[in-house]
Amino acid sequence: MIVRTLLDTDLYKFTTSYAYIKQFPYAMGTFCFNDRNETEYTKEFLKTLETEINNLSQLRLTGEELEYMTRNCRFLPRVYWEWLSSFRFEPDKIKFHLDEEHHLHIEVSDFLYKVTLYEVPLLAIISEVKNRFFGNVADMNEILSKLSEKVELSNRNQLRFSEFGTRRRFSIDVQEAVIERLNEMAQYCTGTSNCYFAMKYGMKMMGTHPHEWFMFHGAQFGYKHANYMALENWVNVYDGDLGIALSDTYTSGIFLSNLSRKQAKLFDGVRCDSGNEFEFIDKLIDRYKELGIDATTKTIVFSNALDFTKALQIQEYCKDKIRCSFGIGTNLTNDTGFEPSNIVMKLSRCKMNVNQEWRECIKLSDDKGKHMGSPEEVQACLYELRLSRLITSGDVKVKV
């Protein structure tokens, strides 16, 4: 089995699941898979994928895992982990096939508090199975040698980072080897997003909320109000905990214009996941100044396809201006010499309850080519937000 425990996923999947339970327990959603590289898969790949998907149904939260998560996630109540003990992945809900061009399609629908849990395990499975079928074999000595150079750079420059590499890891074995070495050598590794490895190696679990939380609010309450309402509802659930706000679901410019003084003071900082990091630093600092807030008391977490060299450049730019930290994923868990998978699963539609109609969920990115949604809905969003950017065929990556 590639995924061996329910905890082999990112912390934010559990925090978001609980937020849905608290705020929108009857809401439903569909997650869709997208391979940005448009990889051509085979029928043999599909058979192996099916086996791994069926294996997901065997996963159970153990008593030891329940006790660990209860002790180490004070922001999630024990009742949530007790519910998770009864949760089972349902392979029948995962619809997948190859189209005529051999591109992979996957769709999962369920109540949002459950369906959100499918995303990371499915991506990790696809990435590992793909490497097997393309004959990619990781050279562990080379991986750890390159890792040592990264760790040395981090230690020398006090570069704080977390391991965020579960979803696009080369394999679970590679990720574990990397985390084990980080735990031994990296003085400024602040933790991992993976709950299983955090438990196994005594590391801190890292994470807050994902794009889907904002995408749901945009679909249900309108794009103008999505950022504000998403942050307000997050505070209603977590009361100031998990205070790093994601900034780019409908472009960072819109986020910053929506950011209220109360939210800017309450949240510890923001996460930058697309666009030009240096421009974002300047814009965020300017917004804090407008709101009368000392930017040096706040933090930016950078997480957009980073390597350690770029992270160091960003850290130098932030010096004496604003605190910074880095979530580094693929560069840690899939730096093998083979092209990493560029795959995502995003919320494509939602409804508030079973009696309501489905509404499309979209995402606008600060990176060209990463808009997600149908051209019609993306254009409607751009119009509602009064963004002058024109839509092009290359911008739209998921059609629902």
Side-chain angles (χ1 to χ4, degrees):
M1 292 176 62
I2 290 175
V3 177
R4 302 162 190 170
T5 166
L6 282 178
L7 295 189
D8 185 14
T9 192
D10 290 333
L11 174 64
Y12 80 82
K13 291 281 86 179
F14 297 133
T15 58
T16 305
S17 170
Y18 179 65
Y20 286 133
I21 290 174
K22 289 288 288 183
Q23 294 290 333
F24 310 106
Y26 303 106
M28 304 191 71
T30 298
F31 274 73
C32 287
F33 170 80
N34 181 38
D35 185 337
R36 290 169 175 157
N37 290 336
E38 298 185 342
T39 305
E40 294 184 10
Y41 297 92
T42 65
K43 291 181 180 179
E44 290 74 20
F45 167 91
L46 206 63
K47 289 179 182 178
T48 301
L49 178 63
E50 181 177 14
T51 299
E52 291 295 337
I53 286 174
N54 288 333
N55 287 340
L56 288 174
S57 66
Q58 302 176 31
L59 301 182
R60 309 282 190 276
L61 191 73
T62 68
E64 181 186 6
E65 290 171 338
L66 184 151
E67 295 301 330
Y68 173 82
M69 297 303 288
T70 300
R71 289 194 309 271
N72 290 277
C73 291
R74 63 178 179 78
F75 39 80
L76 285 171
R78 183 181 181 89
V79 66
Y80 177 76
W81 303 113
E82 291 181 350
W83 167 77
L84 193 67
S85 297
S86 68
F87 171 78
R88 302 290 183 268
F89 286 113
E90 300 179 60
D92 290 345
K93 292 185 181 295
I94 306 172
K95 311 301 180 185
F96 56 97
H97 70 278
L98 298 180
D99 63 22
E100 293 181 356
E101 297 177 322
H102 302 284
H103 297 154
L104 180 62
H105 297 263
I106 303 179
E107 182 178 290
V108 193
S109 296
D110 206 336
F111 289 101
L112 275 170
Y113 68 88
K114 292 195 288 186
V115 74
T116 189
L117 300 175
Y118 285 75
E119 175 194 356
V120 174
L122 284 174
L123 290 174
I125 287 170
I126 292 165
S127 181
E128 184 161 347
V129 173
K130 173 188 170 183
N131 282 316
R132 291 181 190 174
F133 271 85
F134 278 80
N136 299 338
V137 178
D139 184 334
M140 204 68 76
N141 290 330
E142 181 181 355
I143 291 170
L144 295 179
S145 175
K146 288 192 287 187
L147 180 63
S148 294
E149 296 176 6
K150 299 167 188 176
V151 169
E152 183 181 349
L153 183 149
S154 169
N155 290 345
R156 187 170 61 249
N157 295 280
Q158 300 180 24
L159 181 71
R160 297 186 178 277
F161 70 95
S162 300
E163 184 275 322
F164 275 21
T166 301
R167 67 186 56 232
R168 299 188 188 103
R169 65 193 182 195
F170 184 90
S171 69
I172 187 172
D173 292 333
V174 167
Q175 184 179 18
E176 179 161 16
V178 167
I179 288 176
E180 185 175 16
R181 182 62 59 89
L182 291 176
N183 199 37
E184 293 171 352
M185 298 178 56
Q187 300 172 26
Y188 296 95
C189 178
T190 55
T192 174
S193 62
N194 187 292
C195 299
Y196 167 65
F197 289 124
M199 176 180 173
K200 185 170 182 178
Y201 291 98
M203 300 173 73
K204 185 176 180 179
M205 290 174 282
M206 310 295 292
T208 53
H209 51 232
H211 293 105
E212 70 179 86
W213 183 248
F214 295 82
M215 293 165 72
F216 169 80
H217 283 78
Q220 294 298 324
F221 304 111
Y223 303 115
K224 287 182 180 179
H225 308 290
N227 286 314
Y228 180 83
M229 291 194 66
L231 294 184
E232 288 295 294
N233 280 325
W234 195 255
V235 172
N236 290 340
V237 177
Y238 291 110
D239 197 30
D241 280 326
L242 303 169
I244 298 295
L246 185 56
S247 63
D248 68 331
T249 307
Y250 300 110
T251 75
S252 59
I254 294 297
F255 173 86
L256 292 176
S257 67
N258 291 158
L259 187 66
S260 70
R261 187 170 187 270
K262 181 189 80 172
Q263 291 171 343
K265 288 178 73 69
L266 180 61
F267 279 82
D268 300 317
V270 301
R271 179 157 70 95
C272 175
D273 196 48
S274 64
N276 184 299
E277 290 87 354
F278 303 96
E279 292 178 4
F280 180 77
I281 294 165
D282 293 338
K283 290 177 181 178
L284 179 61
I285 291 173
D286 287 344
R287 182 58 174 158
Y288 279 138
K289 287 181 180 177
E290 285 179 35
L291 298 171
I293 295 170
D294 181 358
T296 62
T297 66
K298 299 296 180 179
T299 300
I300 307 178
V301 178
F302 298 91
S303 59
N304 184 25
L306 293 174
D307 58 36
F308 282 77
T309 301
K310 184 173 183 180
L312 182 58
Q313 294 170 353
I314 295 170
Q315 178 175 269
E316 289 298 315
Y317 193 79
C318 288
K319 189 175 182 180
D320 298 326
K321 301 176 184 175
I322 193 168
R323 300 172 183 171
C324 64
S325 184
F326 303 90
I328 301 181
T330 305
N331 186 252
L332 284 171
T333 62
N334 206 340
D335 187 10
T336 59
F338 303 104
E339 183 179 9
S341 297
N342 191 358
I343 53 178
V344 294
M345 282 195 78
K346 293 293 183 184
L347 186 65
S348 62
R349 61 177 187 168
C350 64
K351 55 183 178 180
M352 196 61 78
N353 58 60
V354 294
N355 298 317
Q356 299 298 313
E357 65 179 12
W358 289 103
R359 294 181 179 272
E360 183 181 352
C361 298
I362 70 164
K363 173 180 174 287
L364 304 184
S365 176
D366 288 334
D367 287 336
K368 184 177 180 181
K370 287 189 179 180
H371 290 343
M372 304 193 73
S374 67
E376 295 79 12
E377 191 63 28
V378 170
Q379 188 66 62
C381 178
L382 291 169
Y383 180 80
E384 183 176 340
L385 296 176
R386 298 186 177 182
L387 292 172
S388 59
R389 193 180 339 171
L390 296 177
I391 190 75
T392 67
S393 59
D395 289 328
V396 180
K397 287 298 181 183
V398 174
K399 297 180 181 180
V400 294

